Amino acid sequence: MKQPTKLNNVNAYAHSNVFFFIPVCFVSIDIHPNARWEQNGITVAGGNRQGNGINQLSEPWGLYVDDDQTVYVADASNYRIVEWKWGATSGQVVAGGNGQGSGAHQLSNPQDVIIDKERDSLIICDYSNRRVVRWPRRNGTSGETIISNIYCVGLTMEENGSLYVTDIGKHEVRRYRRGESQGTVVAGGNGSGNRLDQLSFPQYVFVDRDHSVYVSDSGNDRVMKWVEGAKQGIVVAGGQEQGNGLTQLSYPRGVVVDQLGTVYVADCGNDRIMRWPKGATQGSVIVGGNGEGEQSNQLNGPFGLSFDRHGNLYVVDYRNHRVQKFNIDSNT
């Protein structure tokens, strides 16, 4: 592996036509516009049917991919966060796993997880407990509630430590700077609806280097971009009613945006991952889209979405109880 070059607290990697920026807490990427991915995915977590064994997942939601391709999965219906190292045939419980409950040592339907590298901890959307929890990354036995009274599905963090969290109960995204307990609304917050100043059941969130917020607005079948300080958003994917056309989305979930402003979104209801270039009025299917199923070229309810530093794509395949990795084609 080529060693990183430090650029203003950001690790940079060059690979073929792809240039990657690896900030402290999330992966921001620049992928060649013509990049393609292998159509047959490799199972890197779960895939042994639904269950609570250490080699199984049960209705997983979000994920985080670390620099060494270790995958952290929000294993929702097992009430735990599981770490799967690259090439492993089973995972390791790193948070929860003590049954469903509201104790400090328990989780209840966790929906998403990220790593705060500065504090070497996990930050978890503990959905049914209506809280966001910080959990020690290594040998942690319990978590600390850092945000309360929130129906959190997705979260991400900026390099400066600001945390962005979706709240499907209030149909909004809030930013919490370090030490804040109330936060500031940065998207939505005007009730459920389809106006440009509203969201409806927002799911996952991504923040770019200009502090613009991208959110999968699931109830409106669209992805919205909210520029910092804006009072309303811009539709950057979907928004043409629910459907399976290339101009449409159906219950979008995970969302990632590269340095060119290209939006990658898990189009859950259509069992596909789509790419929408900046300013485009329609997208293209990059993986899936072959009907719901459990074959290696199929998905069945894609939720969480992420890339590693090489541009390989990771998808939480919810109803197949697995995480699929789609390798980038090095010839593109």
Side-chain angles (χ1 to χ4, degrees):
M1 172 67 65
K2 181 179 178 180
Q3 291 300 308
T5 301
K6 284 289 186 179
L7 287 176
N8 298 325
N9 201 32
V10 177
N11 294 335
Y13 290 83
H15 175 75
S16 184
N17 291 322
V18 188
F19 198 66
F20 302 91
F21 293 89
I22 315 294
V24 175
C25 298
F26 62 89
V27 178
S28 183
I29 56 174
D30 189 358
I31 293 179
H32 192 280
N34 297 324
R36 295 191 301 269
W37 287 263
E38 300 291 341
Q39 294 302 293
N40 293 304
I42 302 166
T43 301
V44 295
N48 296 299
R49 301 193 180 278
Q50 183 177 16
N52 61 7
I54 201 62
N55 68 337
Q56 295 176 303
L57 298 171
S58 181
E59 299 179 333
W61 277 65
L63 84 165
Y64 179 94
V65 181
D66 206 357
D67 295 345
D68 61 359
Q69 299 183 48
T70 297
V71 176
Y72 295 82
V73 186
D75 189 10
S77 293
N78 283 323
Y79 319 116
R80 64 191 185 186
I81 305 298
V82 186
E83 172 194 85
W84 288 67
K85 294 189 180 298
W86 170 242
T89 57
S90 62
Q92 177 182 350
V93 177
V94 291
N98 298 304
Q100 183 178 20
S102 58
H105 65 301
Q106 295 175 304
L107 299 171
S108 183
N109 298 308
Q111 310 279 274
D112 203 9
V113 58
I114 60 172
I115 293 177
D116 181 348
K117 293 186 178 179
E118 183 175 323
R119 299 191 180 186
D120 199 26
S121 60
L122 307 169
I123 302 180
I124 303 163
C125 279
D126 190 11
Y127 176 80
S128 292
N129 283 323
R130 298 190 62 199
R131 64 189 182 187
V132 176
V133 176
R134 180 184 297 279
W135 200 290
R137 187 177 177 186
R138 307 178 199 282
N139 303 315
T141 58
S142 63
E144 169 197 5
T145 299
I146 57 175
I147 302 172
S148 301
N149 301 315
I150 183 170
Y151 281 115
C152 168
V153 172
L155 76 169
T156 192
M157 181 179 278
E158 286 189 299
E159 296 166 31
N160 63 12
S162 293
L163 191 63
Y164 292 75
V165 187
T166 65
D167 185 341
I168 68 167
K170 296 179 180 177
H171 308 283
E172 66 186 21
V173 180
R174 281 184 180 260
R175 179 190 64 222
Y176 296 83
R177 293 192 169 101
R178 286 202 186 275
E180 289 184 345
S181 59
Q182 297 302 314
T184 302
V185 175
V186 293
N190 296 302
S192 176
N194 61 7
R195 298 194 314 257
L196 292 179
D197 66 341
Q198 293 178 304
L199 299 170
S200 181
F201 300 101
Q203 301 285 313
Y204 290 92
V205 60
F206 185 93
V207 180
D208 69 15
R209 294 195 176 283
D210 296 323
H211 314 290
S212 294
V213 174
Y214 296 79
V215 56
S216 50
D217 187 13
S218 185
N220 288 318
D221 303 296
R222 65 190 184 185
V223 176
M224 299 287 288
K225 175 184 178 180
W226 292 63
V227 175
E228 185 178 21
K231 299 301 182 183
Q232 64 180 30
I234 305 163
V235 179
V236 293
Q240 300 296 318
E241 299 184 345
Q242 186 179 99
N244 60 8
L246 293 179
T247 63
Q248 297 173 304
L249 296 171
S250 178
Y251 302 115
R253 302 286 185 169
V255 60
V256 178
V257 182
D258 70 16
Q259 293 288 326
L260 299 176
T262 301
V263 175
Y264 300 83
V265 57
D267 188 11
C268 181
N270 290 317
D271 304 302
R272 64 190 184 184
I273 308 301
M274 295 194 73
R275 170 171 57 190
W276 293 67
K278 185 176 182 179
T281 57
Q282 71 176 40
S284 60
V285 179
I286 59 172
V287 299
N290 299 308
E292 68 176 49
E294 58 183 22
Q295 300 302 312
S296 61
N297 69 339
Q298 293 179 304
L299 299 168
N300 192 350
F303 275 33
L305 184 68
S306 187
F307 290 90
D308 66 20
R309 63 175 64 167
H310 308 291
N312 301 313
L313 174 65
Y314 296 73
V315 182
V316 174
D317 195 6
Y318 173 80
R319 285 189 288 270
N320 283 325
H321 314 287
R322 66 187 183 184
V323 177
Q324 294 292 90
K325 176 186 178 184
F326 296 88
N327 288 316
I328 192 167
D329 186 341
S330 59
N331 295 320
T332 60

